[in-house]
Amino acid sequence: MLDISALQSPRGLESQSFALPLVTLYARMIEDAYFLHRYRDTTILRFDTTRAFVHFNGRGLLAFDPQGRVLAANGEGRALIDAHAQCTPPAPIWVTQLFEAELDDLLALPRCEPDQLRALRLRASGDIRFAALIEPRGVRARQRDATVTGTTRDMATDLATDSATDATGLPHDPVAPASTPALDRLAGDDPAMQRLLGLARRLCRQPLNVLIRGETGTGKEVLARALHASGDRAGGPFVAVNCAAIPESLIESELFGYLPGAFTGGNPKGMRGLIPQADGGTLFLDEIGDMPLALQSRLLRVLAEQEVMPLGAERPVKVALRVVTATHRDIGALIAEGRFREDLYYRLNGAELVLPPLRERADRRYLIQRLFAAQAAEQGVSAPLRGDAMNALLDAPWPGNVRQLKSALAFALATREGETITVHDLPESCRADRVATPAHLCDIGDTQDDPAKA
């Protein structure tokens, strides 16, 4: 029984607008407490739209058997099942029908991330939910006993390992160890990024050319370098060319090179072009949508024949390279306007990778932690990131995406007034409408995430 009566009720009805949400909240908490007790010997998936609330008071509960069949759900869980049934009837009976994840991925949640949480995308709507797994009571007891038994035995080994790591003088990275492949470091548990990286892992050793699309600052060159470092051409050169930064009058000689005396004002010894320099490796053409139309036909021949003709040369030079291109433009629209060759587009687009903007990523906390640790190590400082600063960074819209985030962190580290990075140390664009918070707030290692606005 929940008693919300008062000794003296006010004459007005305004208090009822507060009483109803209060009763609804506590009724849900009572229902959830009964659910957790009733299914304590069953695997339970707990989820919420906000990462910080999942362990504390996650609204959704789904109990399922070892095969993944849904056995029961609380109110939020039933609402999710009903919404799924309306989009794609009939009603789902397996937990993997609700979330874009395999059953093994769900069962591994307690061991997959430091906070035992993972962002999952709903199959019906595409929305993000943060989820944790509550294992059956017997499993938890066995794990607790195993932990107690192994603690003493492993303590000496752990201390020795930690001591050796500290002796190197390198900054610790709690998110990704040094042995993690280059592609794995690019994202946390964001479902869209995990799908993209899964595709990138399959492509990195294939001879296909790759087109990377995404807004400015989303990390297209970083992804291109990770593809190169993870593939068979990792030992070869990685040559990056910004097609929008080279003057149109020079781009041909810069890309293809020229022989001595090819034109007035050139290097008397000639110059090896950027495309020949990428022989045996990867040529990265950034902002390919800005390449002059006249030069596109020559690039098409390079891709088709795997050879390049330097200016002033009589014979072509053979090259063996992989081409990765990137753009923030709509190539389809450029083709329709006659500003980009359709045949070149199909040569470049052997496979396409689309990077989501930072504001849509559910792993913003992961990125902030990694970039902050890297920036602090680069500047040789140790300044924890206070909770109010982390919340401001999580809430910022980031029109400049990851590039803007890196600049904001570098600015905060360079201009901080104390030993801790607070919201007041961030650029103005990151702290609009923010107020000061108590100085004892947790540092970056304990800060929780906000919901992903995916």
Side-chain angles (χ1 to χ4, degrees):
M1 178 180 293
L2 182 64
D3 183 7
I4 63 165
S5 59
L7 293 176
Q8 184 176 0
S9 299
R11 291 180 177 273
L13 302 180
E14 292 82 2
S15 63
Q16 295 182 13
S17 62
F18 169 74
L20 179 58
L22 183 66
V23 171
T24 303
L25 171 64
Y26 278 97
R28 182 180 67 80
M29 294 176 67
I30 292 171
E31 176 194 10
D32 291 352
Y34 174 78
F35 187 98
L36 292 171
H37 177 75
R38 170 67 178 80
Y39 294 99
R40 62 189 182 278
D41 295 322
T42 308
T43 303
I44 298 174
L45 188 73
R46 186 162 207 164
F47 60 90
D48 202 295
T49 56
T50 304
R51 193 182 200 111
F53 290 164
V54 176
H55 287 308
F56 172 67
N57 191 24
R59 291 182 295 175
L61 295 170
L62 294 170
F64 59 93
D65 65 16
Q67 287 72 45
R69 182 188 294 269
V70 177
L71 303 175
N74 71 342
E76 187 74 14
R78 293 192 300 272
L80 179 62
I81 293 173
D82 292 342
H84 189 284
Q86 291 179 3
C87 294
T88 55
I93 60 173
W94 306 98
V95 67
T96 52
Q97 291 178 285
L98 294 169
F99 300 95
E100 293 183 1
E102 299 297 328
L103 181 58
D104 289 343
D105 297 331
L106 297 178
L107 295 176
L109 281 174
R111 292 162 290 279
C112 69
E113 298 291 339
D115 59 358
Q116 300 180 337
L117 293 174
R118 181 177 171 184
L120 301 174
R121 190 174 296 275
L122 300 179
R123 291 191 185 275
S125 65
D127 294 337
I128 294 292
R129 294 293 184 271
F130 295 96
L133 197 74
I134 303 175
E135 296 181 303
R137 177 174 52 177
V139 174
R140 295 198 300 271
R142 288 194 296 272
Q143 290 177 343
R144 189 163 54 247
D145 294 342
T147 301
V148 172
T149 303
T151 298
T152 303
R153 181 178 63 250
D154 297 339
M155 186 176 297
T157 302
D158 291 343
L159 288 174
T161 302
D162 290 344
S163 177
T165 304
D166 292 340
T168 64
L170 295 175
H172 285 284
D173 184 354
V175 181
S179 59
T180 305
L183 285 168
D184 294 344
R185 293 191 181 98
L186 300 186
D189 59 358
D190 179 73
M193 283 298 298
Q194 286 303 318
R195 283 199 302 272
L196 181 147
L197 295 180
L199 178 59
R201 293 184 193 99
R202 296 192 293 273
L203 290 171
C204 64
R205 298 184 183 278
Q206 301 300 322
L208 294 174
N209 295 324
V210 177
L211 172 63
I212 303 174
R213 292 196 299 110
E215 294 181 5
T216 298
T218 48
K220 297 184 286 293
E221 182 172 347
V222 174
L223 176 57
R225 289 184 180 276
L227 275 171
H228 171 75
S230 303
D232 295 334
R233 298 179 182 271
F238 178 91
V239 179
V241 182
N242 190 326
C243 299
I246 303 177
E248 185 172 346
S249 58
L250 297 178
I251 192 169
E252 187 172 13
S253 60
E254 290 287 333
L255 286 179
F256 298 99
Y258 56 89
L259 298 184
F263 57 88
T264 303
N267 190 322
K269 296 182 179 180
M271 188 189 78
R272 192 179 182 212
L274 294 172
I275 292 178
Q277 289 179 34
D279 185 27
T282 300
L283 175 68
F284 175 60
L285 298 176
D286 197 8
E287 302 300 347
I288 187 65
D290 293 315
M291 176 173 282
L293 188 62
L295 193 59
Q296 293 176 23
S297 58
R298 293 202 62 184
L299 178 60
L300 181 64
R301 179 173 178 81
V302 172
L303 298 177
E305 306 296 335
Q306 289 287 290
E307 61 184 26
V308 60
M309 180 75 79
L311 298 180
E314 297 180 352
R315 296 186 182 88
V317 177
K318 285 290 184 180
V319 290
L321 50 81
R322 183 188 198 179
V323 178
V324 178
T325 53
T327 184
H328 70 281
R329 293 179 176 271
D330 183 348
I331 297 295
L334 294 177
I335 293 173
E337 296 169 3
R339 298 166 57 193
F340 200 89
R341 293 182 61 114
E342 187 173 11
D343 49 1
L344 176 60
Y345 169 71
Y346 291 121
R347 282 283 184 181
L348 297 173
N349 191 14
E352 186 174 86
L353 299 175
V354 182
L355 282 166
L358 180 57
R359 62 184 174 275
E360 295 181 4
R361 290 180 59 168
D363 60 347
R364 293 192 298 277
R365 179 171 176 264
Y366 170 92
L367 284 174
I368 293 169
Q369 286 180 314
R370 273 194 59 82
L371 294 175
F372 183 80
Q375 293 279 4
E378 183 178 331
Q379 296 188 25
V381 299
S382 176
L385 190 65
R386 207 172 72 173
D388 58 349
M390 172 62 88
N391 290 334
L393 292 169
L394 290 169
D395 288 342
W398 300 119
N401 294 293
V402 179
R403 182 183 295 127
Q404 183 187 4
L405 172 60
K406 292 177 66 176
S407 297
L409 294 173
F411 174 88
L413 284 166
T415 63
R416 72 189 190 283
E417 296 182 354
E419 297 300 319
T420 301
I421 303 296
T422 72
V423 67
H424 300 291
D425 296 315
L426 300 176
E428 183 65 33
S429 60
C430 301
R431 55 187 175 92
D433 301 325
R434 285 277 166 181
V435 297
T437 51
H440 63 272
L441 285 178
C442 58
D443 63 19
I444 191 171
D446 301 322
T447 306
Q448 296 296 323
D449 200 355
D450 264 14
K453 301 176 179 64

